[in-house]
Amino acid sequence: MKAIYDFGITQDDPQVEDYGFHLEDSTLLCFASAGDFPFSVLSKYNTKIMALDVSENQIRLCRLKLLAATNLEPNEAAKLIGFQKSTSQQRKAYFETIAWQMDKSDVDFWNKVTHGWRKDPISLSRFEHYLGLFCRLAKNYMGEKKLRHYCNMNDVKEQATYFDTHFRTLFIKYFFKIVFSPRLYKRRGLNAQGLIHQKEDLPQKFYNKFKVFFTATPAKSNFYLHYYLFGNITNEDAFPDYLKEKHRTTLVNNADHIQFCVQPIQEYLSIAQTLKFNNIALSNISDWLDEVAMHNVLLDIRQKSEGHTALMMRYIHKNPLTEVNTQLLSKVDEAFSQEVSTIDRFPFYSIIKAEMEPS
C-alpha cells in the first residue's frame, strides 16, 4: 500500500511541551504532523498556533481530526480517526456529520483514500501501517491477556516488575532487529530522508528505549502504548487531551486559534520578515536536514524573532547543537531531558530545551 502520509499519530508527546513551555496566552510555531500535539495544546491553553508541514495530506488529516474533535462525542471522534475500533458504516456516518464543514476537495479526498471508509485515517499512514503489521505478531507472542492486564496498570514500579517478568525476552530483541533494520525501515516505515544521519545500530538504539517506553509513565493513560500494542485505545482515560470530555469546551473555544501552512520550515523562516512566537517546537528536524540547513533555521529564528523565544528540539540521529549552533542560543537547559523522562510517553527521542534572545 502506498502511504497517503507519513504519520497518523504525532510522536511529540504534548506532555513534554506542556511541562517545558509557558503556553497560556502565548504564541507557538510547530509542525502540524498528525495534529495531536497542537490540538492538545489548544484543548488546555489560550494559545495562537502556526502549524507547518511539507505535506498537504498531513494538513488534511489535521483538519479532519480537529473537526471530529470539536463536533463529535469523544468516542465517536476516536472511532472516526482510528483511535478506537469501529465499522465502515460507523466511520462513514460520523464523517458525513462533519463533511458539510469541509472543502469539497477534502471530502473527495477522504472518500477516495479510505475506500468509502473501509479504512480509518491513522491506518493509512506509512509509520502506523508498517509498525502495525509487526505489532500484531508481537502481541500474539507476548499474549494479549498479559498485555491488557499491563495496560490497566497505573503504577510504574508495578509495571517494571511485570515487564521484567513477562516481556524481557530474546524474541523482543530479535523483533527489533527485523522491524528497525535500516534497509527495511527506510523503504517501508519511514521516509528515507529521516535516516540521512543514521550511523548507530538502529535496532539496538530503539530496543534500549523499549523498557523505558513500557515503564516510565503509567500504562493506563499512555495512548501511544495502547495504540501500538492493540491498534486502538482500550479505554477513554488514555485518550489524547483533545479527545477528552473535560477539555472539549476549551478546544471548541480555541479551534480558530490555529493556522495551517503547507511549507517547509526553512522556507517559512527565510521569507518571514519577523517572528512573533514565544515558543517554537522544532520536533526532530535535525534528523531530516543537513547541518547547513539546520544552522540557517536557528539563525533565522534568532535574527527575526521580536523577543525572547523558548525552543524545544528532539532528535534520534543528529544532535542539532553543534558548536556553531550552540553559540546562537542564550541558554540550554541541560537538566530538562532528565526531568521529563518520567512524563514522556513516547521516549524514543533525545530532547533539548533552549532559549534564544533576538540578535
Side-chain angles (χ1 to χ4, degrees):
M1 182 192 79
K2 184 178 180 181
I4 308 301
Y5 30 75
D6 284 334
F7 302 104
I9 302 173
T10 304
Q11 295 180 352
D12 296 356
D13 182 3
Q15 290 188 160
V16 173
E17 277 76 8
D18 195 338
Y19 179 83
F21 283 154
H22 176 78
L23 292 165
E24 183 62 27
D25 295 323
S26 70
T27 50
L28 169 68
L29 176 66
C30 68
F31 293 102
S33 185
D36 306 290
F37 163 51
F39 299 156
S40 289
V41 172
L42 290 178
S43 72
K44 297 169 71 176
Y45 301 104
N46 178 38
T47 306
K48 304 288 186 182
I49 300 176
M50 173 61 73
L52 309 174
D53 208 285
V54 297
S55 167
E56 170 65 26
N57 288 345
Q58 289 281 180
I59 300 292
R60 291 183 194 272
L61 176 62
C62 290
R63 291 196 290 257
L64 174 71
K65 283 187 175 183
L66 186 57
L67 281 175
T70 53
N71 288 274
L72 301 172
E73 294 298 319
N75 67 312
E76 295 174 340
K79 288 177 179 178
L80 173 62
I81 293 166
F83 277 125
Q84 286 199 316
K85 298 295 185 184
S86 62
T87 65
S88 57
Q89 291 84 359
Q90 286 177 315
R91 288 191 290 269
K92 186 175 181 180
Y94 295 145
F95 179 70
E96 289 175 350
T97 300
I98 63 174
W100 66 274
Q101 300 180 70
M102 293 181 169
D103 290 340
K104 184 177 184 302
S105 63
D106 277 9
V107 174
D108 292 342
F109 171 83
W110 288 113
N111 284 327
K112 178 180 178 182
V113 300
T114 61
H115 302 286
W117 290 95
R118 290 196 295 273
K119 300 281 189 179
D120 66 77
I122 290 177
S123 69
L124 296 173
S125 67
R126 182 197 301 264
F127 183 81
E128 279 72 27
H129 175 74
Y130 173 78
L131 199 58
L133 297 174
F134 292 98
C135 284
R136 285 192 288 272
L137 295 174
K139 181 180 69 175
N140 291 336
Y141 176 85
M142 297 167 76
E144 182 167 346
K145 185 176 180 180
K146 291 178 183 176
L147 288 172
R148 290 199 179 278
H149 176 72
Y150 160 77
C151 278
N152 283 317
M153 292 182 178
N154 207 33
D155 182 278
V156 294
K157 290 183 179 179
E158 181 184 5
Q159 289 169 214
T161 301
Y162 198 80
F163 178 91
D164 288 337
T165 303
H166 298 286
F167 302 142
R168 186 186 289 278
T169 68
L170 287 176
F171 167 82
I172 297 300
K173 193 165 188 177
Y174 184 68
F175 171 85
F176 272 77
K177 278 187 173 294
I178 296 174
V179 177
F180 296 107
S181 164
R183 191 172 181 179
L184 179 62
Y185 186 47
K186 71 181 179 183
R187 286 193 293 115
R188 301 282 185 170
L190 186 71
N191 189 308
Q193 183 67 23
L195 294 172
I196 60 172
H197 297 296
Q198 186 265 325
K199 295 179 181 178
E200 297 177 79
D201 183 337
L202 191 60
Q204 184 65 45
K205 189 179 185 73
F206 285 156
Y207 177 78
N208 291 342
K209 294 281 190 176
F210 179 60
K211 182 175 180 178
V212 179
F213 184 39
F214 263 66
T215 62
T217 62
K220 189 174 183 179
S221 57
N222 188 332
F223 68 90
Y224 295 102
L225 271 170
H226 286 243
Y227 185 84
Y228 291 124
L229 290 176
F230 299 108
N232 67 101
I233 299 176
T234 57
N235 69 74
E236 294 185 13
D237 291 338
F239 279 175
D241 283 336
Y242 72 95
L243 289 179
K244 290 180 178 177
E245 183 61 41
K246 66 181 179 179
H247 296 306
R248 185 176 179 184
T249 299
T250 303
L251 178 65
V252 170
N253 291 338
N254 291 338
D256 62 349
H257 289 186
I258 187 168
Q259 296 181 47
F260 298 109
C261 180
V262 183
Q263 194 172 35
I265 189 169
Q266 313 95 286
E267 184 179 311
Y268 177 86
L269 294 172
S270 68
I271 65 177
Q273 296 298 310
T274 59
L275 299 173
K276 301 179 180 181
F277 299 105
N278 309 121
N279 305 298
I280 298 179
L282 292 175
S283 192
N284 65 318
I285 61 167
S286 63
D287 289 336
W288 296 71
L289 301 180
D290 62 36
E291 284 194 9
V292 173
M294 186 66 215
H295 175 73
N296 287 337
V297 164
L298 294 175
L299 185 61
D300 276 334
I301 293 172
R302 180 177 178 181
Q303 292 179 340
K304 297 180 179 181
S305 292
E306 291 192 343
H308 175 87
T309 305
L311 299 173
M312 200 80 70
M313 296 174 279
R314 288 170 169 80
Y315 70 94
I316 292 177
H317 311 294
K318 182 65 175 177
N319 189 331
L321 294 191
T322 62
E323 183 176 348
V324 175
N325 288 346
T326 302
Q327 295 173 6
L328 298 174
L329 306 172
S330 58
K331 179 181 178 182
V332 176
D333 189 340
E334 304 284 356
F336 182 79
S337 185
Q338 185 60 39
E339 287 178 18
V340 297
S341 63
T342 58
I343 63 172
D344 187 1
R345 293 169 295 187
F346 196 79
F348 293 95
Y349 295 90
S350 297
I351 302 175
I352 297 169
K353 181 188 175 186
E355 297 176 20
M356 185 179 286
E357 302 295 340
S359 57

